[in-house]
PDB file of all heavy atoms in Angstrom:
ATOM      1  N   PHE A 747     -16.387 230.208 169.688  1.00 96.00           N
ATOM      2  CA  PHE A 747     -15.170 229.554 169.402  1.00 96.00           C
ATOM      3  C   PHE A 747     -14.972 228.446 170.408  1.00 96.00           C
ATOM      4  O   PHE A 747     -14.879 228.722 171.606  1.00 96.00           O
ATOM      5  CB  PHE A 747     -14.015 230.586 169.467  1.00 96.00           C
ATOM      6  CG  PHE A 747     -12.694 230.107 168.936  1.00 96.00           C
ATOM      7  CD1 PHE A 747     -12.599 229.167 167.974  1.00 96.00           C
ATOM      8  CD2 PHE A 747     -11.506 230.626 169.484  1.00 96.00           C
ATOM      9  CE1 PHE A 747     -11.370 228.698 167.481  1.00 96.00           C
ATOM     10  CE2 PHE A 747     -10.263 230.175 169.023  1.00 96.00           C
ATOM     11  CZ  PHE A 747     -10.234 229.226 168.040  1.00 96.00           C
ATOM     12  N   THR A 748     -14.929 227.179 169.957  1.00 95.00           N
ATOM     13  CA  THR A 748     -14.803 226.098 170.908  1.00 95.00           C
ATOM     14  C   THR A 748     -14.223 224.899 170.116  1.00 95.00           C
ATOM     15  O   THR A 748     -13.534 225.014 169.099  1.00 95.00           O
ATOM     16  CB  THR A 748     -16.184 225.740 171.479  1.00 95.00           C
ATOM     17  OG1 THR A 748     -16.026 224.714 172.409  1.00 95.00           O
ATOM     18  CG2 THR A 748     -17.231 225.357 170.446  1.00 95.00           C
ATOM     19  N   THR A 749     -14.424 223.656 170.682  1.00 94.00           N
ATOM     20  CA  THR A 749     -14.029 222.457 170.003  1.00 94.00           C
ATOM     21  C   THR A 749     -15.344 221.670 169.696  1.00 94.00           C
ATOM     22  O   THR A 749     -16.363 221.887 170.272  1.00 94.00           O
ATOM     23  CB  THR A 749     -13.171 221.609 170.881  1.00 94.00           C
ATOM     24  OG1 THR A 749     -13.831 221.250 172.061  1.00 94.00           O
ATOM     25  CG2 THR A 749     -11.908 222.402 171.285  1.00 94.00           C
ATOM     26  N   PRO A 750     -15.265 220.748 168.708  1.00 93.00           N
ATOM     27  CA  PRO A 750     -16.489 219.929 168.344  1.00 93.00           C
ATOM     28  C   PRO A 750     -17.048 219.224 169.565  1.00 93.00           C
ATOM     29  O   PRO A 750     -18.284 219.121 169.646  1.00 93.00           O
ATOM     30  CB  PRO A 750     -15.931 218.967 167.315  1.00 93.00           C
ATOM     31  CG  PRO A 750     -14.779 219.632 166.736  1.00 93.00           C
ATOM     32  CD  PRO A 750     -14.164 220.417 167.776  1.00 93.00           C
ATOM     33  N   SER A 751     -16.245 218.787 170.460  1.00 92.00           N
ATOM     34  CA  SER A 751     -16.764 218.019 171.649  1.00 92.00           C
ATOM     35  C   SER A 751     -16.998 218.897 172.893  1.00 92.00           C
ATOM     36  O   SER A 751     -17.560 218.490 173.821  1.00 92.00           O
ATOM     37  CB  SER A 751     -15.786 216.891 172.044  1.00 92.00           C
ATOM     38  OG  SER A 751     -14.498 217.481 172.382  1.00 92.00           O
ATOM     39  N   GLY A 752     -16.418 220.137 172.833  1.00 92.00           N
ATOM     40  CA  GLY A 752     -16.473 221.024 173.958  1.00 92.00           C
ATOM     41  C   GLY A 752     -15.361 220.785 174.950  1.00 92.00           C
ATOM     42  O   GLY A 752     -15.207 221.590 175.918  1.00 92.00           O
ATOM     43  N   ARG A 753     -14.498 219.838 174.670  1.00 92.00           N
ATOM     44  CA  ARG A 753     -13.371 219.536 175.560  1.00 92.00           C
ATOM     45  C   ARG A 753     -12.238 220.517 175.326  1.00 92.00           C
ATOM     46  O   ARG A 753     -11.888 220.774 174.162  1.00 92.00           O
ATOM     47  CB  ARG A 753     -12.836 218.142 175.274  1.00 92.00           C
ATOM     48  CG  ARG A 753     -11.693 217.692 176.114  1.00 92.00           C
ATOM     49  CD  ARG A 753     -11.192 216.300 175.723  1.00 92.00           C
ATOM     50  NE  ARG A 753      -9.952 215.958 176.366  1.00 92.00           N
ATOM     51  CZ  ARG A 753      -9.235 214.892 176.090  1.00 92.00           C
ATOM     52  NH1 ARG A 753      -9.687 214.022 175.135  1.00 92.00           N
ATOM     53  NH2 ARG A 753      -8.118 214.604 176.752  1.00 92.00           N
ATOM     54  N   LEU A 754     -11.689 221.038 176.369  1.00 93.00           N
ATOM     55  CA  LEU A 754     -10.558 222.024 176.275  1.00 93.00           C
ATOM     56  C   LEU A 754      -9.328 221.615 176.983  1.00 93.00           C
ATOM     57  O   LEU A 754      -8.706 222.402 177.662  1.00 93.00           O
ATOM     58  CB  LEU A 754     -11.065 223.415 176.823  1.00 93.00           C
ATOM     59  CG  LEU A 754     -12.303 224.070 176.120  1.00 93.00           C
ATOM     60  CD1 LEU A 754     -12.703 225.280 176.826  1.00 93.00           C
ATOM     61  CD2 LEU A 754     -11.910 224.313 174.613  1.00 93.00           C
ATOM     62  N   SER A 755      -8.965 220.343 176.779  1.00 92.00           N
ATOM     63  CA  SER A 755      -7.735 219.849 177.392  1.00 92.00           C
ATOM     64  C   SER A 755      -7.148 218.756 176.407  1.00 92.00           C
ATOM     65  O   SER A 755      -7.908 218.129 175.664  1.00 92.00           O
ATOM     66  CB  SER A 755      -7.980 219.274 178.758  1.00 92.00           C
ATOM     67  OG  SER A 755      -8.876 218.116 178.702  1.00 92.00           O
ATOM     68  N   GLU A 756      -5.829 218.589 176.539  1.00 91.00           N
ATOM     69  CA  GLU A 756      -5.161 217.595 175.657  1.00 91.00           C
ATOM     70  C   GLU A 756      -3.890 217.169 176.321  1.00 91.00           C
ATOM     71  O   GLU A 756      -3.313 217.833 177.148  1.00 91.00           O
ATOM     72  CB  GLU A 756      -4.861 218.218 174.303  1.00 91.00           C
ATOM     73  CG  GLU A 756      -4.500 217.207 173.212  1.00 91.00           C
ATOM     74  CD  GLU A 756      -5.586 216.208 172.995  1.00 91.00           C
ATOM     75  OE1 GLU A 756      -6.590 216.562 172.366  1.00 91.00           O
ATOM     76  OE2 GLU A 756      -5.388 215.062 173.392  1.00 91.00           O
ATOM     77  N   GLU A 757      -3.455 215.944 175.986  1.00 92.00           N
ATOM     78  CA  GLU A 757      -2.188 215.412 176.426  1.00 92.00           C
ATOM     79  C   GLU A 757      -1.226 215.324 175.310  1.00 92.00           C
ATOM     80  O   GLU A 757      -1.545 214.907 174.203  1.00 92.00           O
ATOM     81  CB  GLU A 757      -2.366 214.011 177.054  1.00 92.00           C
ATOM     82  CG  GLU A 757      -3.209 213.998 178.310  1.00 92.00           C
ATOM     83  CD  GLU A 757      -3.284 212.570 178.881  1.00 92.00           C
ATOM     84  OE1 GLU A 757      -2.774 211.635 178.306  1.00 92.00           O
ATOM     85  OE2 GLU A 757      -3.988 212.393 179.964  1.00 92.00           O
ATOM     86  N   VAL A 758       0.026 215.826 175.569  1.00 92.00           N
ATOM     87  CA  VAL A 758       1.069 215.812 174.506  1.00 92.00           C
ATOM     88  C   VAL A 758       2.366 215.286 175.094  1.00 92.00           C
ATOM     89  O   VAL A 758       2.708 215.567 176.249  1.00 92.00           O
ATOM     90  CB  VAL A 758       1.296 217.285 173.986  1.00 92.00           C
ATOM     91  CG1 VAL A 758       2.292 217.292 172.891  1.00 92.00           C
ATOM     92  CG2 VAL A 758      -0.002 217.879 173.508  1.00 92.00           C
ATOM     93  N   VAL A 759       3.029 214.496 174.281  1.00 92.00           N
ATOM     94  CA  VAL A 759       4.354 213.951 174.683  1.00 92.00           C
ATOM     95  C   VAL A 759       5.402 215.024 174.347  1.00 92.00           C
ATOM     96  O   VAL A 759       5.410 215.572 173.306  1.00 92.00           O
ATOM     97  CB  VAL A 759       4.624 212.634 174.010  1.00 92.00           C
ATOM     98  CG1 VAL A 759       6.037 212.115 174.365  1.00 92.00           C
ATOM     99  CG2 VAL A 759       3.552 211.586 174.415  1.00 92.00           C
ATOM    100  N   SER A 760       6.315 215.216 175.258  1.00 91.00           N
ATOM    101  CA  SER A 760       7.405 216.158 175.075  1.00 91.00           C
ATOM    102  C   SER A 760       8.134 215.848 173.846  1.00 91.00           C
ATOM    103  O   SER A 760       8.530 214.722 173.595  1.00 91.00           O
ATOM    104  CB  SER A 760       8.314 216.199 176.321  1.00 91.00           C
ATOM    105  OG  SER A 760       9.426 216.982 176.088  1.00 91.00           O
ATOM    106  N   GLY A 761       8.412 216.849 172.949  1.00 90.00           N
ATOM    107  CA  GLY A 761       9.134 216.669 171.741  1.00 90.00           C
ATOM    108  C   GLY A 761       8.311 216.183 170.582  1.00 90.00           C
ATOM    109  O   GLY A 761       8.826 215.853 169.493  1.00 90.00           O
ATOM    110  N   SER A 762       6.970 216.103 170.740  1.00 91.00           N
ATOM    111  CA  SER A 762       6.119 215.647 169.643  1.00 91.00           C
ATOM    112  C   SER A 762       5.064 216.696 169.309  1.00 91.00           C
ATOM    113  O   SER A 762       5.052 217.829 169.851  1.00 91.00           O
ATOM    114  CB  SER A 762       5.388 214.344 170.052  1.00 91.00           C
ATOM    115  OG  SER A 762       4.486 214.651 171.113  1.00 91.00           O
ATOM    116  N   SER A 763       4.240 216.379 168.321  1.00 91.00           N
ATOM    117  CA  SER A 763       3.165 217.292 167.872  1.00 91.00           C
ATOM    118  C   SER A 763       1.817 216.662 168.147  1.00 91.00           C
ATOM    119  O   SER A 763       1.703 215.408 168.195  1.00 91.00           O
ATOM    120  CB  SER A 763       3.293 217.605 166.412  1.00 91.00           C
ATOM    121  OG  SER A 763       4.531 218.291 166.134  1.00 91.00           O
ATOM    122  N   GLU A 764       0.786 217.485 168.324  1.00 93.00           N
ATOM    123  CA  GLU A 764      -0.553 217.014 168.599  1.00 93.00           C
ATOM    124  C   GLU A 764      -1.516 217.810 167.735  1.00 93.00           C
ATOM    125  O   GLU A 764      -1.428 219.070 167.629  1.00 93.00           O
ATOM    126  CB  GLU A 764      -0.921 217.088 170.052  1.00 93.00           C
ATOM    127  CG  GLU A 764      -2.214 216.395 170.438  1.00 93.00           C
ATOM    128  CD  GLU A 764      -2.124 214.892 170.332  1.00 93.00           C
ATOM    129  OE1 GLU A 764      -1.012 214.339 170.466  1.00 93.00           O
ATOM    130  OE2 GLU A 764      -3.213 214.282 170.163  1.00 93.00           O
ATOM    131  N   THR A 765      -2.491 217.148 167.152  1.00 94.00           N
ATOM    132  CA  THR A 765      -3.532 217.798 166.356  1.00 94.00           C
ATOM    133  C   THR A 765      -4.760 218.052 167.185  1.00 94.00           C
ATOM    134  O   THR A 765      -5.274 217.144 167.869  1.00 94.00           O
ATOM    135  CB  THR A 765      -3.933 216.936 165.129  1.00 94.00           C
ATOM    136  OG1 THR A 765      -2.787 216.810 164.292  1.00 94.00           O
ATOM    137  CG2 THR A 765      -5.000 217.640 164.321  1.00 94.00           C
ATOM    138  N   ILE A 766      -5.271 219.296 167.154  1.00 94.00           N
ATOM    139  CA  ILE A 766      -6.435 219.697 167.961  1.00 94.00           C
ATOM    140  C   ILE A 766      -7.479 220.268 166.948  1.00 94.00           C
ATOM    141  O   ILE A 766      -7.187 221.116 166.101  1.00 94.00           O
ATOM    142  CB  ILE A 766      -6.102 220.765 168.977  1.00 94.00           C
ATOM    143  CG1 ILE A 766      -5.015 220.165 169.939  1.00 94.00           C
ATOM    144  CG2 ILE A 766      -7.312 221.258 169.715  1.00 94.00           C
ATOM    145  CD1 ILE A 766      -4.446 221.229 170.895  1.00 94.00           C
ATOM    146  N   GLN A 767      -8.759 219.850 167.060  1.00 96.00           N
ATOM    147  CA  GLN A 767      -9.755 220.328 166.247  1.00 96.00           C
ATOM    148  C   GLN A 767     -10.542 221.485 166.921  1.00 96.00           C
ATOM    149  O   GLN A 767     -10.924 221.359 168.123  1.00 96.00           O
ATOM    150  CB  GLN A 767     -10.783 219.203 165.898  1.00 96.00           C
ATOM    151  CG  GLN A 767     -10.208 218.068 165.086  1.00 96.00           C
ATOM    152  CD  GLN A 767      -9.707 218.565 163.702  1.00 96.00           C
ATOM    153  OE1 GLN A 767     -10.331 219.423 163.087  1.00 96.00           O
ATOM    154  NE2 GLN A 767      -8.564 218.025 163.311  1.00 96.00           N
ATOM    155  N   LEU A 768     -10.651 222.613 166.211  1.00 96.00           N
ATOM    156  CA  LEU A 768     -11.342 223.754 166.738  1.00 96.00           C
ATOM    157  C   LEU A 768     -12.524 224.070 165.812  1.00 96.00           C
ATOM    158  O   LEU A 768     -12.565 223.714 164.685  1.00 96.00           O
ATOM    159  CB  LEU A 768     -10.436 224.967 166.757  1.00 96.00           C
ATOM    160  CG  LEU A 768      -9.091 224.803 167.555  1.00 96.00           C
ATOM    161  CD1 LEU A 768      -8.171 225.990 167.315  1.00 96.00           C
ATOM    162  CD2 LEU A 768      -9.350 224.552 169.018  1.00 96.00           C
ATOM    163  N   THR A 769     -13.512 224.750 166.422  1.00 97.00           N
ATOM    164  CA  THR A 769     -14.729 225.111 165.646  1.00 97.00           C
ATOM    165  C   THR A 769     -15.081 226.616 165.857  1.00 97.00           C
ATOM    166  O   THR A 769     -15.142 227.069 167.045  1.00 97.00           O
ATOM    167  CB  THR A 769     -15.976 224.247 166.073  1.00 97.00           C
ATOM    168  OG1 THR A 769     -15.652 222.932 165.876  1.00 97.00           O
ATOM    169  CG2 THR A 769     -17.156 224.616 165.235  1.00 97.00           C
ATOM    170  N   VAL A 770     -15.263 227.328 164.755  1.00 97.00           N
ATOM    171  CA  VAL A 770     -15.807 228.695 164.856  1.00 97.00           C
ATOM    172  C   VAL A 770     -17.217 228.715 164.248  1.00 97.00           C
ATOM    173  O   VAL A 770     -17.466 228.106 163.210  1.00 97.00           O
ATOM    174  CB  VAL A 770     -14.923 229.692 164.104  1.00 97.00           C
ATOM    175  CG1 VAL A 770     -13.600 229.952 164.852  1.00 97.00           C
ATOM    176  CG2 VAL A 770     -14.601 229.242 162.683  1.00 97.00           C
ATOM    177  N   LYS A 771     -18.111 229.367 164.941  1.00 96.00           N
ATOM    178  CA  LYS A 771     -19.517 229.385 164.554  1.00 96.00           C
ATOM    179  C   LYS A 771     -20.037 230.827 164.610  1.00 96.00           C
ATOM    180  O   LYS A 771     -19.841 231.515 165.610  1.00 96.00           O
ATOM    181  CB  LYS A 771     -20.350 228.472 165.375  1.00 96.00           C
ATOM    182  CG  LYS A 771     -21.855 228.368 164.882  1.00 96.00           C
ATOM    183  CD  LYS A 771     -22.653 227.391 165.712  1.00 96.00           C
ATOM    184  CE  LYS A 771     -24.083 227.247 165.195  1.00 96.00           C
ATOM    185  NZ  LYS A 771     -24.882 226.294 165.976  1.00 96.00           N
ATOM    186  N   ASN A 772     -20.758 231.181 163.589  1.00 96.00           N
ATOM    187  CA  ASN A 772     -21.414 232.529 163.578  1.00 96.00           C
ATOM    188  C   ASN A 772     -22.774 232.411 164.193  1.00 96.00           C
ATOM    189  O   ASN A 772     -23.708 231.839 163.578  1.00 96.00           O
ATOM    190  CB  ASN A 772     -21.475 233.029 162.122  1.00 96.00           C
ATOM    191  CG  ASN A 772     -22.079 234.438 162.061  1.00 96.00           C
ATOM    192  OD1 ASN A 772     -22.571 234.991 163.036  1.00 96.00           O
ATOM    193  ND2 ASN A 772     -22.037 235.015 160.840  1.00 96.00           N
ATOM    194  N   ILE A 773     -22.943 232.882 165.401  1.00 94.00           N
ATOM    195  CA  ILE A 773     -24.234 232.814 166.099  1.00 94.00           C
ATOM    196  C   ILE A 773     -24.981 234.110 166.076  1.00 94.00           C
ATOM    197  O   ILE A 773     -25.981 234.302 166.752  1.00 94.00           O
ATOM    198  CB  ILE A 773     -24.050 232.356 167.585  1.00 94.00           C
ATOM    199  CG1 ILE A 773     -23.132 233.270 168.334  1.00 94.00           C
ATOM    200  CG2 ILE A 773     -23.499 230.928 167.620  1.00 94.00           C
ATOM    201  CD1 ILE A 773     -22.998 232.952 169.827  1.00 94.00           C
ATOM    202  N   GLY A 774     -24.480 235.092 165.294  1.00 92.00           N
ATOM    203  CA  GLY A 774     -25.195 236.318 165.063  1.00 92.00           C
ATOM    204  C   GLY A 774     -26.087 236.291 163.855  1.00 92.00           C
ATOM    205  O   GLY A 774     -26.410 235.226 163.318  1.00 92.00           O
ATOM    206  N   THR A 775     -26.506 237.493 163.388  1.00 92.00           N
ATOM    207  CA  THR A 775     -27.377 237.513 162.215  1.00 92.00           C
ATOM    208  C   THR A 775     -26.705 238.154 160.955  1.00 92.00           C
ATOM    209  O   THR A 775     -27.296 238.252 159.936  1.00 92.00           O
ATOM    210  CB  THR A 775     -28.642 238.395 162.530  1.00 92.00           C
ATOM    211  OG1 THR A 775     -28.254 239.676 162.897  1.00 92.00           O
ATOM    212  CG2 THR A 775     -29.389 237.724 163.711  1.00 92.00           C
ATOM    213  N   LEU A 776     -25.461 238.644 161.143  1.00 93.00           N
ATOM    214  CA  LEU A 776     -24.727 239.258 160.076  1.00 93.00           C
ATOM    215  C   LEU A 776     -23.429 238.392 159.709  1.00 93.00           C
ATOM    216  O   LEU A 776     -22.907 237.776 160.639  1.00 93.00           O
ATOM    217  CB  LEU A 776     -24.223 240.684 160.433  1.00 93.00           C
ATOM    218  CG  LEU A 776     -25.411 241.677 160.704  1.00 93.00           C
ATOM    219  CD1 LEU A 776     -24.764 242.991 161.256  1.00 93.00           C
ATOM    220  CD2 LEU A 776     -26.214 241.971 159.439  1.00 93.00           C
ATOM    221  N   PRO A 777     -23.029 238.439 158.472  1.00 94.00           N
ATOM    222  CA  PRO A 777     -21.819 237.632 158.074  1.00 94.00           C
ATOM    223  C   PRO A 777     -20.583 238.158 158.804  1.00 94.00           C
ATOM    224  O   PRO A 777     -20.419 239.342 159.094  1.00 94.00           O
ATOM    225  CB  PRO A 777     -21.685 237.892 156.588  1.00 94.00           C
ATOM    226  CG  PRO A 777     -23.045 238.383 156.157  1.00 94.00           C
ATOM    227  CD  PRO A 777     -23.638 239.101 157.325  1.00 94.00           C
ATOM    228  N   LEU A 778     -19.723 237.230 159.147  1.00 95.00           N
ATOM    229  CA  LEU A 778     -18.396 237.521 159.712  1.00 95.00           C
ATOM    230  C   LEU A 778     -17.325 237.310 158.649  1.00 95.00           C
ATOM    231  O   LEU A 778     -17.207 236.191 158.129  1.00 95.00           O
ATOM    232  CB  LEU A 778     -18.138 236.648 160.901  1.00 95.00           C
ATOM    233  CG  LEU A 778     -19.026 236.847 162.170  1.00 95.00           C
ATOM    234  CD1 LEU A 778     -18.868 235.793 163.167  1.00 95.00           C
ATOM    235  CD2 LEU A 778     -18.681 238.249 162.814  1.00 95.00           C
ATOM    236  N   ASN A 779     -16.571 238.345 158.339  1.00 95.00           N
ATOM    237  CA  ASN A 779     -15.557 238.249 157.260  1.00 95.00           C
ATOM    238  C   ASN A 779     -14.165 238.371 157.836  1.00 95.00           C
ATOM    239  O   ASN A 779     -13.938 239.001 158.870  1.00 95.00           O
ATOM    240  CB  ASN A 779     -15.728 239.447 156.279  1.00 95.00           C
ATOM    241  CG  ASN A 779     -17.129 239.357 155.605  1.00 95.00           C
ATOM    242  OD1 ASN A 779     -17.592 238.272 155.290  1.00 95.00           O
ATOM    243  ND2 ASN A 779     -17.704 240.520 155.415  1.00 95.00           N
ATOM    244  N   GLU A 780     -13.208 237.715 157.173  1.00 95.00           N
ATOM    245  CA  GLU A 780     -11.822 237.717 157.463  1.00 95.00           C
ATOM    246  C   GLU A 780     -11.552 237.363 158.941  1.00 95.00           C
ATOM    247  O   GLU A 780     -10.936 238.099 159.670  1.00 95.00           O
ATOM    248  CB  GLU A 780     -11.254 239.120 157.202  1.00 95.00           C
ATOM    249  CG  GLU A 780     -11.312 239.579 155.740  1.00 95.00           C
ATOM    250  CD  GLU A 780     -10.465 238.716 154.834  1.00 95.00           C
ATOM    251  OE1 GLU A 780      -9.456 238.164 155.293  1.00 95.00           O
ATOM    252  OE2 GLU A 780     -10.836 238.629 153.626  1.00 95.00           O
ATOM    253  N   LEU A 781     -11.992 236.198 159.310  1.00 96.00           N
ATOM    254  CA  LEU A 781     -11.709 235.689 160.664  1.00 96.00           C
ATOM    255  C   LEU A 781     -10.300 235.098 160.710  1.00 96.00           C
ATOM    256  O   LEU A 781      -9.992 234.171 160.002  1.00 96.00           O
ATOM    257  CB  LEU A 781     -12.710 234.610 161.064  1.00 96.00           C
ATOM    258  CG  LEU A 781     -14.080 235.050 161.574  1.00 96.00           C
ATOM    259  CD1 LEU A 781     -15.001 233.822 161.648  1.00 96.00           C
ATOM    260  CD2 LEU A 781     -13.982 235.725 162.908  1.00 96.00           C
ATOM    261  N   ALA A 782      -9.477 235.656 161.582  1.00 97.00           N
ATOM    262  CA  ALA A 782      -8.080 235.174 161.752  1.00 97.00           C
ATOM    263  C   ALA A 782      -7.933 234.369 162.974  1.00 97.00           C
ATOM    264  O   ALA A 782      -8.425 234.727 164.028  1.00 97.00           O
ATOM    265  CB  ALA A 782      -7.147 236.404 161.692  1.00 97.00           C
ATOM    266  N   ILE A 783      -7.206 233.244 162.881  1.00 97.00           N
ATOM    267  CA  ILE A 783      -6.912 232.361 163.997  1.00 97.00           C
ATOM    268  C   ILE A 783      -5.525 232.516 164.426  1.00 97.00           C
ATOM    269  O   ILE A 783      -4.581 232.465 163.614  1.00 97.00           O
ATOM    270  CB  ILE A 783      -7.184 230.870 163.622  1.00 97.00           C
ATOM    271  CG1 ILE A 783      -8.542 230.747 162.895  1.00 97.00           C
ATOM    272  CG2 ILE A 783      -7.185 229.986 164.852  1.00 97.00           C
ATOM    273  CD1 ILE A 783      -9.780 231.153 163.695  1.00 97.00           C
ATOM    274  N   SER A 784      -5.261 232.719 165.717  1.00 96.00           N
ATOM    275  CA  SER A 784      -3.908 232.917 166.229  1.00 96.00           C
ATOM    276  C   SER A 784      -3.766 232.245 167.562  1.00 96.00           C
ATOM    277  O   SER A 784      -4.757 231.669 168.132  1.00 96.00           O
ATOM    278  CB  SER A 784      -3.574 234.440 166.346  1.00 96.00           C
ATOM    279  OG  SER A 784      -4.472 235.016 167.234  1.00 96.00           O
TER     280      SER A 784
END
């Protein structure tokens, strides 16, 4: 679980919204089902 660029920091202006891209990857050999993001 990381970001496409590997960067884990962001700047946000108070009172606004910011979009962040995240990436989940299955690096095992078995399928992963029902992955929940919180």
Side-chain angles (χ1 to χ4, degrees):
F747 190 30
T748 183
T749 63
S751 64
R753 179 184 173 188
L754 298 177
S755 63
E756 192 61 73
E757 294 182 359
V758 182
V759 176
S760 177
S762 67
S763 299
E764 187 70 25
T765 298
I766 301 173
Q767 295 299 321
L768 306 173
T769 302
V770 287
K771 184 176 181 180
N772 184 352
I773 57 175
T775 61
L776 297 172
L778 291 168
N779 299 321
E780 300 294 333
L781 279 171
I783 314 299
S784 60

